[in-house]
Coordinates of all heavy atoms in Angstrom, one line a residue:
M1 N -28.8 -15.4 -20.6 CA -27.7 -14.5 -20.9 C -28.1 -13.2 -21.4 O -28.2 -12.9 -22.6 CB -26.8 -15.2 -21.9 CG -26.1 -16.5 -21.4 SD -24.8 -16.9 -22.5 CE -24.4 -18.6 -21.9
G2 N -28.5 -12.3 -20.5 CA -28.9 -11.0 -21.0 C -27.8 -10.1 -21.3 O -26.6 -10.4 -21.1
N3 N -28.1 -8.9 -21.8 CA -27.0 -7.9 -22.1 C -26.5 -7.2 -20.8 O -25.6 -6.4 -20.9 CB -27.6 -6.9 -23.0 CG -27.8 -7.5 -24.4 OD1 -27.1 -8.4 -24.8 ND2 -28.8 -7.0 -25.1
D4 N -27.1 -7.5 -19.7 CA -26.7 -6.8 -18.5 C -25.4 -7.5 -17.9 O -25.1 -7.2 -16.7 CB -27.8 -6.8 -17.5 CG -28.5 -8.1 -17.3 OD1 -28.2 -9.0 -18.1 OD2 -29.5 -8.2 -16.5
F5 N -24.8 -8.4 -18.6 CA -23.6 -9.0 -18.2 C -22.4 -8.3 -18.8 O -22.5 -7.9 -20.0 CB -23.6 -10.5 -18.5 CG -24.3 -11.4 -17.5 CD1 -25.7 -11.4 -17.5 CD2 -23.6 -12.2 -16.6 CE1 -26.4 -12.1 -16.6 CE2 -24.3 -13.0 -15.7 CZ -25.7 -13.0 -15.7
T6 N -21.3 -8.2 -18.1 CA -20.1 -7.5 -18.6 C -19.0 -8.4 -18.5 O -18.8 -9.1 -17.4 CB -19.8 -6.3 -17.7 OG1 -21.0 -5.4 -17.6 CG2 -18.7 -5.5 -18.2
K7 N -18.2 -8.5 -19.5 CA -17.0 -9.3 -19.5 C -16.0 -8.6 -18.6 O -15.7 -7.4 -18.8 CB -16.4 -9.6 -20.9 CG -15.2 -10.5 -20.8 CD -14.4 -10.5 -22.0 CE -13.1 -11.2 -21.6 NZ -12.0 -11.0 -22.5
V8 N -15.4 -9.3 -17.6 CA -14.5 -8.7 -16.7 C -13.0 -9.2 -16.8 O -12.1 -8.5 -16.5 CB -14.9 -8.7 -15.2 CG1 -16.2 -7.9 -15.0 CG2 -15.1 -10.1 -14.8
A9 N -12.9 -10.4 -17.2 CA -11.6 -11.0 -17.2 C -11.6 -12.4 -17.9 O -12.7 -12.9 -18.2 CB -11.1 -11.2 -15.7
N10 N -10.5 -13.0 -18.0 CA -10.4 -14.4 -18.4 C -10.1 -15.2 -17.2 O -9.6 -14.7 -16.2 CB -9.2 -14.6 -19.4 CG -9.5 -13.9 -20.8 OD1 -10.6 -14.0 -21.3 ND2 -8.6 -13.1 -21.3
V11 N -10.6 -16.4 -17.3 CA -10.4 -17.3 -16.1 C -8.9 -17.4 -15.7 O -8.6 -17.5 -14.6 CB -11.0 -18.7 -16.4 CG1 -10.7 -19.7 -15.3 CG2 -12.5 -18.6 -16.7
S12 N -8.0 -17.4 -16.7 CA -6.6 -17.5 -16.4 C -6.1 -16.3 -15.7 O -5.0 -16.3 -15.1 CB -5.8 -17.6 -17.7 OG -6.1 -16.5 -18.6
D13 N -6.8 -15.2 -15.6 CA -6.4 -14.0 -14.8 C -6.7 -14.2 -13.3 O -6.1 -13.5 -12.5 CB -7.2 -12.8 -15.3 CG -7.0 -12.4 -16.7 OD1 -5.9 -12.6 -17.2 OD2 -7.9 -11.8 -17.3
V14 N -7.5 -15.2 -13.0 CA -7.9 -15.4 -11.6 C -7.7 -16.9 -11.3 O -8.6 -17.7 -11.3 CB -9.4 -15.0 -11.3 CG1 -9.6 -15.0 -9.8 CG2 -9.7 -13.6 -11.9
P15 N -6.4 -17.3 -11.0 CA -6.1 -18.7 -10.8 C -6.9 -19.2 -9.6 O -7.3 -18.4 -8.7 CB -4.6 -18.7 -10.6 CG -4.1 -17.5 -11.2 CD -5.2 -16.5 -11.0
E16 N -7.0 -20.5 -9.5 CA -7.7 -21.1 -8.4 C -7.1 -20.7 -7.1 O -5.9 -20.7 -6.9 CB -7.7 -22.7 -8.5 CG -8.5 -23.4 -7.5 CD -8.8 -24.8 -7.8 OE1 -8.6 -25.2 -8.9 OE2 -9.1 -25.5 -6.8
G17 N -8.0 -20.3 -6.1 CA -7.5 -19.9 -4.8 C -7.2 -18.5 -4.7 O -6.7 -18.0 -3.6
T18 N -7.4 -17.7 -5.8 CA -7.1 -16.3 -5.7 C -8.3 -15.4 -5.9 O -9.4 -15.9 -6.3 CB -6.0 -15.9 -6.8 OG1 -6.6 -16.0 -8.1 CG2 -4.8 -16.7 -6.7
V19 N -8.1 -14.1 -5.6 CA -9.2 -13.1 -5.7 C -8.6 -11.9 -6.5 O -7.5 -11.5 -6.2 CB -9.6 -12.6 -4.3 CG1 -10.8 -11.7 -4.4 CG2 -9.9 -13.8 -3.4
K20 N -9.4 -11.3 -7.4 CA -9.0 -10.1 -8.1 C -10.2 -9.1 -8.1 O -11.3 -9.6 -8.3 CB -8.6 -10.4 -9.5 CG -7.2 -10.9 -9.6 CD -6.4 -10.1 -10.7 CE -5.0 -10.5 -10.7 NZ -4.7 -11.7 -11.5
V21 N -9.9 -7.9 -8.0 CA -10.9 -6.9 -7.9 C -11.1 -6.2 -9.3 O -10.1 -5.8 -9.9 CB -10.6 -5.8 -6.9 CG1 -11.7 -4.7 -6.9 CG2 -10.5 -6.4 -5.5
F22 N -12.3 -5.9 -9.7 CA -12.6 -5.2 -10.9 C -13.7 -4.2 -10.6 O -14.5 -4.4 -9.7 CB -13.1 -6.1 -12.0 CG -12.1 -7.2 -12.4 CD1 -12.1 -8.4 -11.7 CD2 -11.2 -6.9 -13.3 CE1 -11.1 -9.4 -12.0 CE2 -10.2 -7.9 -13.7 CZ -10.2 -9.1 -13.0
E23 N -13.6 -3.0 -11.2 CA -14.7 -2.0 -11.0 C -15.6 -2.2 -12.2 O -15.3 -2.1 -13.3 CB -14.1 -0.6 -11.0 CG -15.2 0.4 -10.7 CD -14.6 1.8 -10.6 OE1 -13.6 2.0 -10.0 OE2 -15.3 2.7 -11.1
I24 N -16.9 -2.4 -11.8 CA -17.9 -2.6 -12.8 C -19.1 -1.7 -12.5 O -19.7 -1.8 -11.4 CB -18.4 -4.1 -12.8 CG1 -17.2 -5.0 -13.1 CG2 -19.5 -4.3 -13.9 CD1 -17.5 -6.4 -12.8
N25 N -19.3 -0.7 -13.4 CA -20.4 0.3 -13.2 C -20.3 0.9 -11.8 O -21.3 1.1 -11.1 CB -21.8 -0.4 -13.3 CG -22.0 -1.0 -14.7 OD1 -21.4 -0.5 -15.7 ND2 -22.7 -2.1 -14.8
G26 N -19.0 1.2 -11.4 CA -18.8 2.0 -10.2 C -18.8 1.1 -8.9 O -18.5 1.6 -7.9
D27 N -19.0 -0.2 -9.1 CA -19.0 -1.1 -7.9 C -17.6 -1.8 -7.9 O -17.2 -2.3 -9.0 CB -20.1 -2.2 -8.0 CG -21.4 -1.6 -7.7 OD1 -21.5 -0.5 -7.2 OD2 -22.4 -2.3 -8.0
Q28 N -17.0 -2.0 -6.8 CA -15.8 -2.8 -6.6 C -16.2 -4.2 -6.4 O -16.9 -4.5 -5.4 CB -15.0 -2.3 -5.4 CG -14.5 -0.8 -5.6 CD -13.4 -0.7 -6.7 OE1 -12.6 -1.5 -6.8 NE2 -13.5 0.4 -7.4
I29 N -15.9 -5.1 -7.3 CA -16.4 -6.4 -7.3 C -15.2 -7.4 -7.2 O -14.3 -7.3 -8.0 CB -17.3 -6.8 -8.5 CG1 -18.5 -5.9 -8.4 CG2 -17.7 -8.2 -8.4 CD1 -19.5 -6.1 -9.6
A30 N -15.2 -8.2 -6.2 CA -14.1 -9.2 -6.1 C -14.5 -10.5 -6.8 O -15.5 -11.1 -6.4 CB -13.8 -9.4 -4.6
I31 N -13.7 -10.9 -7.7 CA -13.9 -12.1 -8.4 C -13.0 -13.2 -7.7 O -11.8 -13.0 -7.6 CB -13.5 -12.1 -9.9 CG1 -14.2 -10.9 -10.6 CG2 -13.6 -13.4 -10.6 CD1 -15.7 -11.1 -10.8
C32 N -13.7 -14.2 -7.3 CA -13.0 -15.3 -6.5 C -13.0 -16.6 -7.3 O -14.1 -17.0 -7.8 CB -13.8 -15.5 -5.2 SG -14.1 -14.0 -4.2
N33 N -11.9 -17.2 -7.3 CA -11.8 -18.6 -7.9 C -11.7 -19.5 -6.7 O -10.6 -19.8 -6.2 CB -10.7 -18.7 -8.9 CG -10.7 -20.0 -9.6 OD1 -11.2 -21.0 -9.1 ND2 -10.1 -20.1 -10.8
A34 N -12.8 -20.1 -6.3 CA -12.9 -21.0 -5.2 C -13.1 -22.4 -5.6 O -14.1 -22.7 -6.2 CB -14.0 -20.6 -4.2
E35 N -12.1 -23.2 -5.4 CA -12.1 -24.6 -5.8 C -12.5 -24.8 -7.3 O -13.2 -25.6 -7.7 CB -13.1 -25.3 -4.9 CG -12.7 -25.3 -3.4 CD -13.7 -25.9 -2.5 OE1 -14.9 -25.8 -2.8 OE2 -13.3 -26.6 -1.6
G36 N -11.9 -23.8 -8.1 CA -12.1 -24.0 -9.6 C -13.4 -23.4 -10.1 O -13.7 -23.4 -11.3
K37 N -14.2 -22.8 -9.2 CA -15.5 -22.2 -9.6 C -15.4 -20.7 -9.4 O -14.8 -20.3 -8.4 CB -16.6 -22.8 -8.9 CG -17.9 -22.6 -9.6 CD -19.0 -23.7 -9.2 CE -20.2 -23.4 -10.1 NZ -21.2 -22.7 -9.5
I38 N -16.0 -19.9 -10.3 CA -15.9 -18.5 -10.2 C -17.1 -17.9 -9.4 O -18.3 -18.2 -9.8 CB -15.8 -17.8 -11.6 CG1 -14.6 -18.4 -12.3 CG2 -15.7 -16.3 -11.5 CD1 -13.2 -18.0 -11.8
Y39 N -16.8 -17.0 -8.5 CA -17.9 -16.3 -7.7 C -17.6 -14.8 -7.8 O -16.4 -14.4 -7.8 CB -18.0 -16.8 -6.3 CG -18.3 -18.2 -6.2 CD1 -17.2 -19.2 -6.1 CD2 -19.6 -18.7 -6.3 CE1 -17.5 -20.5 -6.0 CE2 -19.9 -20.1 -6.2 CZ -18.8 -21.0 -6.1 OH -19.1 -22.3 -6.0
A40 N -18.6 -14.0 -7.6 CA -18.4 -12.5 -7.6 C -19.1 -12.0 -6.4 O -20.3 -12.2 -6.2 CB -19.0 -11.9 -8.9
I41 N -18.3 -11.2 -5.6 CA -18.9 -10.7 -4.3 C -18.5 -9.2 -4.3 O -17.5 -8.7 -4.9 CB -18.3 -11.4 -3.1 CG1 -16.8 -11.3 -3.0 CG2 -18.8 -12.8 -3.0 CD1 -16.2 -11.8 -1.7
A42 N -19.2 -8.4 -3.5 CA -18.8 -7.0 -3.3 C -17.5 -7.0 -2.5 O -17.3 -7.8 -1.6 CB -19.9 -6.3 -2.5
D43 N -16.6 -6.1 -2.9 CA -15.3 -6.1 -2.2 C -15.3 -5.3 -1.0 O -14.4 -4.5 -0.8 CB -14.2 -5.6 -3.2 CG -12.9 -5.8 -2.7 OD1 -12.6 -6.8 -1.9 OD2 -12.0 -5.0 -2.9
Y44 N -16.3 -5.4 -0.2 CA -16.2 -4.7 1.1 C -16.9 -5.5 2.2 O -17.9 -6.2 2.0 CB -16.9 -3.3 1.1 CG -18.3 -3.3 0.7 CD1 -19.3 -3.5 1.8 CD2 -18.8 -3.2 -0.6 CE1 -20.6 -3.5 1.5 CE2 -20.1 -3.2 -0.9 CZ -21.1 -3.4 0.2 OH -22.4 -3.5 -0.1
C45 N -16.3 -5.5 3.3 CA -16.8 -6.3 4.5 C -17.9 -5.6 5.1 O -17.9 -4.3 5.2 CB -15.6 -6.4 5.5 SG -16.1 -7.3 7.0
S46 N -19.0 -6.3 5.5 CA -20.1 -5.7 6.1 C -19.9 -5.2 7.5 O -20.7 -4.5 8.1 CB -21.3 -6.7 6.0 OG -21.1 -7.8 6.8
H47 N -18.8 -5.6 8.1 CA -18.4 -5.1 9.4 C -18.0 -3.6 9.4 O -18.6 -2.8 10.0 CB -17.4 -6.0 10.1 CG -16.9 -5.4 11.4 ND1 -15.6 -5.2 11.7 CD2 -17.7 -5.1 12.5 CE1 -15.6 -4.7 12.9 NE2 -16.8 -4.7 13.5
D48 N -16.9 -3.4 8.6 CA -16.4 -2.0 8.6 C -15.7 -1.7 7.3 O -14.6 -1.1 7.3 CB -15.5 -1.7 9.8 CG -15.3 -0.2 10.0 OD1 -16.1 0.6 9.5 OD2 -14.3 0.1 10.6
N49 N -16.2 -2.2 6.2 CA -15.7 -1.9 4.9 C -14.3 -2.4 4.6 O -13.6 -1.9 3.7 CB -15.7 -0.4 4.6 CG -17.1 0.0 4.3 OD1 -17.9 -0.7 3.7 ND2 -17.4 1.3 4.6
G50 N -13.8 -3.5 5.3 CA -12.5 -4.0 5.0 C -12.5 -4.5 3.5 O -13.5 -5.0 3.0
P51 N -11.3 -4.4 2.9 CA -11.1 -4.9 1.5 C -11.0 -6.4 1.4 O -9.9 -6.9 1.7 CB -9.9 -4.1 1.0 CG -9.1 -4.0 2.3 CD -10.0 -3.9 3.4
L52 N -12.1 -7.1 1.1 CA -12.0 -8.5 1.2 C -11.0 -9.2 0.3 O -10.5 -10.2 0.5 CB -13.4 -9.1 0.9 CG -14.5 -8.7 2.0 CD1 -15.8 -9.3 1.6 CD2 -14.1 -9.3 3.4
D53 N -10.8 -8.5 -0.9 CA -9.8 -9.1 -1.8 C -8.4 -9.3 -1.2 O -7.6 -10.1 -1.7 CB -9.7 -8.3 -3.1 CG -9.1 -6.9 -2.8 OD1 -9.7 -6.1 -2.2 OD2 -7.9 -6.7 -3.3
Q54 N -8.2 -8.5 -0.2 CA -6.8 -8.6 0.5 C -6.8 -9.6 1.6 O -5.8 -9.8 2.3 CB -6.4 -7.2 0.9 CG -6.1 -6.3 -0.2 CD -5.8 -4.9 0.2 OE1 -5.3 -4.6 1.2 NE2 -6.3 -4.0 -0.7
G55 N -7.9 -10.3 1.8 CA -8.0 -11.3 2.8 C -7.7 -12.7 2.2 O -7.2 -12.8 1.1
T56 N -7.9 -13.7 3.0 CA -7.5 -15.0 2.6 C -8.8 -15.8 2.1 O -9.8 -15.8 2.7 CB -7.0 -15.8 3.8 OG1 -6.0 -14.9 4.4 CG2 -6.3 -17.1 3.4
L57 N -8.6 -16.4 0.9 CA -9.7 -17.3 0.3 C -9.3 -18.7 0.6 O -8.2 -19.1 0.2 CB -9.8 -17.0 -1.2 CG -10.8 -17.9 -1.9 CD1 -12.3 -17.6 -1.4 CD2 -10.8 -17.7 -3.4
E58 N -10.1 -19.4 1.3 CA -9.8 -20.8 1.6 C -11.1 -21.6 1.4 O -12.2 -21.3 2.0 CB -9.3 -20.9 3.1 CG -8.5 -22.2 3.3 CD -8.0 -22.3 4.7 OE1 -7.5 -21.3 5.2 OE2 -8.2 -23.4 5.3
D59 N -11.0 -22.6 0.6 CA -12.2 -23.3 0.2 C -13.2 -22.3 -0.4 O -12.9 -21.5 -1.3 CB -12.8 -24.1 1.3 CG -11.8 -25.1 1.8 OD1 -11.0 -25.6 1.0 OD2 -11.8 -25.4 3.0
C60 N -14.4 -22.2 0.1 CA -15.4 -21.2 -0.4 C -15.6 -20.1 0.6 O -16.6 -19.4 0.6 CB -16.7 -21.9 -0.7 SG -16.6 -22.9 -2.2
Q61 N -14.6 -19.9 1.5 CA -14.7 -18.8 2.5 C -13.6 -17.8 2.3 O -12.4 -18.1 2.1 CB -14.5 -19.4 3.9 CG -15.6 -20.4 4.3 CD -15.5 -21.0 5.7 OE1 -14.8 -20.5 6.5 NE2 -16.3 -22.0 6.0
I62 N -14.0 -16.5 2.5 CA -13.0 -15.5 2.4 C -13.0 -14.8 3.8 O -14.0 -14.6 4.4 CB -13.3 -14.5 1.3 CG1 -12.1 -13.6 1.0 CG2 -14.5 -13.7 1.5 CD1 -12.1 -13.0 -0.4
E63 N -11.7 -14.5 4.2 CA -11.6 -13.9 5.6 C -11.2 -12.4 5.4 O -10.2 -12.1 4.7 CB -10.5 -14.7 6.4 CG -10.4 -14.1 7.8 CD -9.4 -15.0 8.6 OE1 -9.7 -16.2 8.8 OE2 -8.4 -14.4 9.0
C64 N -11.9 -11.6 6.1 CA -11.5 -10.1 6.0 C -10.2 -9.9 6.7 O -9.9 -10.4 7.8 CB -12.6 -9.4 6.8 SG -12.3 -7.6 6.8
P65 N -9.3 -9.1 6.0 CA -8.0 -8.8 6.6 C -8.0 -7.9 7.8 O -7.0 -7.9 8.5 CB -7.3 -8.2 5.4 CG -8.3 -7.5 4.6 CD -9.5 -8.4 4.7
R66 N -9.1 -7.3 8.0 CA -9.1 -6.3 9.1 C -9.4 -6.9 10.5 O -8.6 -6.8 11.4 CB -10.1 -5.2 8.8 CG -9.5 -4.3 7.7 CD -10.3 -3.0 7.5 NE -10.3 -2.2 8.7 CZ -11.1 -1.2 8.9 NH1 -12.0 -1.0 8.0 NH2 -11.1 -0.5 10.0
H67 N -10.5 -7.6 10.6 CA -10.8 -8.1 12.0 C -11.2 -9.6 11.9 O -11.7 -10.2 12.9 CB -11.9 -7.3 12.7 CG -11.8 -5.9 12.5 ND1 -12.6 -5.1 11.7 CD2 -10.9 -5.0 13.1 CE1 -12.2 -3.8 11.8 NE2 -11.2 -3.7 12.7
G68 N -11.0 -10.2 10.8 CA -11.2 -11.7 10.7 C -12.6 -12.2 10.5 O -12.8 -13.5 10.6
A69 N -13.5 -11.4 10.1 CA -14.8 -12.0 9.8 C -14.7 -12.9 8.5 O -13.8 -12.6 7.7 CB -15.8 -10.9 9.5
R70 N -15.5 -13.9 8.4 CA -15.5 -14.7 7.3 C -16.8 -14.8 6.6 O -17.9 -14.7 7.2 CB -15.1 -16.2 7.7 CG -13.6 -16.3 7.7 CD -13.1 -17.7 8.0 NE -13.4 -18.1 9.4 CZ -14.3 -19.0 9.8 NH1 -15.0 -19.7 8.9 NH2 -14.5 -19.2 11.0
F71 N -16.8 -14.9 5.2 CA -18.0 -14.9 4.4 C -17.9 -16.1 3.5 O -16.9 -16.5 3.0 CB -18.1 -13.6 3.6 CG -18.2 -12.4 4.4 CD1 -17.1 -11.7 4.8 CD2 -19.5 -11.9 4.8 CE1 -17.2 -10.6 5.6 CE2 -19.6 -10.8 5.6 CZ -18.4 -10.1 6.0
D72 N -19.1 -16.6 3.2 CA -19.2 -17.7 2.1 C -19.3 -17.0 0.8 O -20.3 -16.2 0.6 CB -20.5 -18.5 2.4 CG -20.5 -19.7 1.5 OD1 -20.2 -19.6 0.3 OD2 -21.0 -20.8 2.0
V73 N -18.4 -17.2 -0.1 CA -18.3 -16.5 -1.4 C -19.5 -16.9 -2.3 O -19.8 -16.2 -3.2 CB -17.0 -16.6 -2.1 CG1 -15.9 -16.0 -1.3 CG2 -16.7 -18.0 -2.5
R74 N -20.1 -18.1 -2.0 CA -21.2 -18.6 -2.8 C -22.5 -17.8 -2.5 O -23.3 -17.6 -3.4 CB -21.4 -20.1 -2.6 CG -20.2 -20.9 -2.9 CD -20.3 -22.3 -2.4 NE -20.3 -22.3 -1.0 CZ -20.3 -23.4 -0.2 NH1 -20.2 -24.6 -0.8 NH2 -20.3 -23.4 1.1
T75 N -22.6 -17.4 -1.3 CA -23.9 -16.8 -0.8 C -23.8 -15.4 -0.3 O -24.8 -14.7 -0.2 CB -24.6 -17.7 0.3 OG1 -23.6 -17.7 1.4 CG2 -24.8 -19.1 -0.2
G76 N -22.6 -15.0 0.1 CA -22.4 -13.7 0.8 C -22.7 -13.8 2.2 O -22.5 -12.8 2.9
Q77 N -23.1 -14.9 2.7 CA -23.4 -15.0 4.2 C -22.3 -14.8 5.1 O -21.2 -15.3 4.8 CB -24.0 -16.4 4.4 CG -24.7 -16.6 5.7 CD -25.2 -18.0 5.9 OE1 -25.1 -18.9 5.1 NE2 -25.6 -18.3 7.1
A78 N -22.5 -14.0 6.2 CA -21.4 -13.9 7.2 C -21.4 -15.1 8.0 O -22.4 -15.6 8.5 CB -21.8 -12.7 8.1
L79 N -20.2 -15.7 8.2 CA -20.0 -16.9 8.9 C -19.5 -16.8 10.3 O -19.7 -17.7 11.1 CB -19.0 -17.8 8.1 CG -19.5 -18.2 6.7 CD1 -18.4 -18.9 6.0 CD2 -20.7 -19.0 6.7
C80 N -18.9 -15.6 10.6 CA -18.5 -15.4 12.0 C -18.4 -14.0 12.3 O -18.3 -13.1 11.4 CB -17.2 -16.2 12.3 SG -15.8 -15.4 11.6
L81 N -18.4 -13.7 13.6 CA -18.2 -12.3 14.1 C -16.8 -11.8 13.7 O -15.9 -12.6 13.5 CB -18.4 -12.2 15.6 CG -19.8 -12.6 16.1 CD1 -19.9 -12.7 17.6 CD2 -20.8 -11.5 15.6
P82 N -16.6 -10.5 13.6 CA -17.6 -9.4 14.0 C -18.6 -9.1 12.9 O -19.4 -8.2 13.2 CB -16.6 -8.2 14.3 CG -15.5 -8.4 13.4 CD -15.3 -9.9 13.3
A83 N -18.6 -9.7 11.8 CA -19.6 -9.4 10.8 C -20.9 -10.2 11.1 O -20.8 -11.3 11.5 CB -19.1 -9.7 9.4
V84 N -22.0 -9.5 11.0 CA -23.3 -10.2 11.1 C -24.1 -10.2 9.9 O -24.9 -11.1 9.6 CB -24.1 -9.7 12.3 CG1 -23.4 -10.1 13.6 CG2 -24.3 -8.2 12.3
L85 N -23.9 -9.1 9.1 CA -24.8 -9.0 7.9 C -24.1 -9.6 6.7 O -22.8 -9.6 6.6 CB -25.0 -7.5 7.6 CG -25.7 -6.7 8.7 CD1 -25.7 -5.2 8.4 CD2 -27.2 -7.2 8.8
P86 N -24.9 -10.1 5.7 CA -24.2 -10.7 4.5 C -23.7 -9.6 3.6 O -24.0 -8.4 3.8 CB -25.4 -11.4 3.8 CG -26.6 -10.7 4.3 CD -26.3 -10.2 5.7
I87 N -22.9 -9.9 2.7 CA -22.4 -9.0 1.7 C -23.1 -9.4 0.3 O -23.5 -10.5 0.1 CB -20.9 -9.1 1.5 CG1 -20.4 -10.5 1.2 CG2 -20.1 -8.5 2.7 CD1 -19.0 -10.7 0.8
P88 N -23.2 -8.4 -0.6 CA -23.9 -8.7 -1.8 C -23.1 -9.6 -2.7 O -21.8 -9.6 -2.6 CB -23.9 -7.3 -2.5 CG -23.8 -6.3 -1.4 CD -22.9 -6.9 -0.4
T89 N -23.8 -10.5 -3.4 CA -23.1 -11.3 -4.4 C -23.7 -10.9 -5.8 O -24.8 -10.3 -5.8 CB -23.4 -12.8 -4.2 OG1 -24.7 -13.0 -4.2 CG2 -22.8 -13.2 -2.8
Y90 N -22.9 -11.2 -6.8 CA -23.4 -10.9 -8.2 C -23.5 -12.1 -9.0 O -22.8 -13.1 -8.7 CB -22.3 -10.0 -8.8 CG -22.2 -8.6 -8.2 CD1 -21.5 -8.4 -7.0 CD2 -22.8 -7.5 -8.8 CE1 -21.5 -7.2 -6.4 CE2 -22.7 -6.2 -8.2 CZ -22.0 -6.1 -7.0 OH -22.0 -4.9 -6.4
K91 N -24.4 -12.1 -9.9 CA -24.5 -13.2 -10.9 C -23.2 -13.3 -11.6 O -22.6 -12.2 -12.0 CB -25.6 -13.0 -11.8 CG -27.0 -13.2 -11.1 CD -28.1 -13.1 -12.1 CE -29.4 -13.3 -11.4 NZ -30.6 -12.9 -12.2
V92 N -22.7 -14.4 -11.9 CA -21.5 -14.6 -12.7 C -21.6 -15.8 -13.6 O -22.3 -16.8 -13.3 CB -20.3 -14.7 -11.8 CG1 -20.3 -15.9 -10.9 CG2 -19.0 -14.6 -12.5
E93 N -21.1 -15.6 -14.8 CA -21.2 -16.7 -15.8 C -19.8 -16.9 -16.4 O -19.1 -15.9 -16.6 CB -22.1 -16.4 -16.9 CG -23.6 -16.5 -16.5 CD -24.5 -16.2 -17.7 OE1 -24.0 -15.9 -18.8 OE2 -25.7 -16.2 -17.5
Q94 N -19.4 -18.2 -16.5 CA -18.2 -18.5 -17.2 C -18.6 -18.9 -18.6 O -19.3 -19.8 -18.8 CB -17.5 -19.6 -16.5 CG -16.0 -19.7 -16.9 CD -15.3 -20.8 -16.1 OE1 -15.5 -20.9 -14.9 NE2 -14.5 -21.5 -16.8
R95 N -18.1 -18.1 -19.6 CA -18.5 -18.4 -21.0 C -17.2 -18.7 -21.7 O -16.3 -17.9 -22.0 CB -19.1 -17.1 -21.7 CG -20.4 -16.7 -21.0 CD -21.0 -15.5 -21.7 NE -22.1 -15.0 -20.9 CZ -22.8 -13.8 -21.2 NH1 -22.4 -13.1 -22.2 NH2 -23.8 -13.4 -20.5
G96 N -17.0 -20.0 -21.8 CA -15.7 -20.5 -22.3 C -14.6 -20.1 -21.3 O -14.7 -20.4 -20.1
Q97 N -13.6 -19.4 -21.7 CA -12.5 -18.9 -20.8 C -12.8 -17.5 -20.3 O -11.9 -17.0 -19.6 CB -11.2 -19.0 -21.6 CG -10.7 -20.4 -21.8 CD -10.7 -21.2 -20.5 OE1 -10.0 -20.8 -19.5 NE2 -11.4 -22.3 -20.5
E98 N -14.0 -17.0 -20.5 CA -14.2 -15.6 -20.1 C -15.2 -15.6 -18.9 O -16.1 -16.4 -18.8 CB -14.9 -14.8 -21.3 CG -14.0 -14.7 -22.5 CD -14.7 -14.0 -23.6 OE1 -15.9 -13.8 -23.6 OE2 -14.0 -13.7 -24.6
I99 N -14.9 -14.6 -18.0 CA -15.8 -14.4 -16.9 C -16.7 -13.2 -17.1 O -16.2 -12.1 -17.4 CB -14.9 -14.1 -15.6 CG1 -14.0 -15.3 -15.3 CG2 -15.8 -13.8 -14.4 CD1 -12.9 -15.0 -14.3
W100 N -18.0 -13.4 -17.0 CA -18.9 -12.3 -17.2 C -19.7 -12.1 -15.9 O -20.2 -13.1 -15.3 CB -19.9 -12.7 -18.3 CG -19.3 -12.7 -19.7 CD1 -18.4 -13.5 -20.2 CD2 -19.6 -11.8 -20.7 NE1 -18.0 -13.2 -21.5 CE2 -18.8 -12.1 -21.8 CE3 -20.4 -10.7 -20.9 CZ2 -18.8 -11.4 -23.1 CZ3 -20.4 -10.0 -22.1 CH2 -19.6 -10.4 -23.2
V101 N -19.9 -10.8 -15.5 CA -20.6 -10.5 -14.3 C -21.9 -9.8 -14.6 O -21.9 -8.9 -15.4 CB -19.7 -9.7 -13.3 CG1 -20.5 -9.2 -12.1 CG2 -18.5 -10.5 -12.9
G102 N -22.9 -10.2 -13.9 CA -24.2 -9.6 -14.1 C -24.6 -8.8 -12.9 O -23.8 -8.4 -12.0
P103 N -25.9 -8.6 -12.7 CA -26.4 -7.8 -11.6 C -26.3 -8.5 -10.2 O -26.1 -9.7 -10.2 CB -27.9 -7.6 -11.9 CG -28.2 -8.6 -13.0 CD -27.0 -9.1 -13.6
K104 N -26.5 -7.7 -9.2 CA -26.6 -8.3 -7.8 C -27.7 -9.3 -7.8 O -28.7 -9.2 -8.4 CB -26.9 -7.2 -6.8 CG -25.7 -6.5 -6.3 CD -26.1 -5.4 -5.3 CE -24.9 -4.4 -5.1 NZ -25.3 -3.2 -4.4
Q105 N -27.4 -10.3 -6.9 CA -28.5 -11.3 -6.8 C -29.1 -11.3 -5.4 O -28.6 -10.7 -4.5 CB -28.1 -12.7 -7.2 CG -26.7 -13.1 -6.8 CD -26.3 -14.5 -7.4 OE1 -27.0 -15.0 -8.2 NE2 -25.2 -15.0 -7.0
Ligands
FES1 S1 -13.9 -4.7 8.5 FE1 -14.0 -6.8 8.1 S2 -14.0 -7.8 10.0 FE2 -14.0 -5.7 10.5

């Protein structure tokens, strides 16, 4: 638990199955509550910068609202076209009821 983690929200701010965006050090980061676990991903699609937070989160997959690419929020991996490149993910820790985000992983 280094000092490079920033508190961004409480778990209650991001209910299960939802996504919320926070700006941390100039990066737009989408906090996803997938199946009760918190993940942090960059809030842009690797296809053409679609805002992933406005897409659909289902299980551990988020679908881009623009052209339907899907990403695994656990790894950032692109799961289907038109995206082929992964998106960045960030370290995230749940400390009690608080969500703390760290550097890209
Ligand atoms: S911008 Fe996300 S699929 Fe095209």
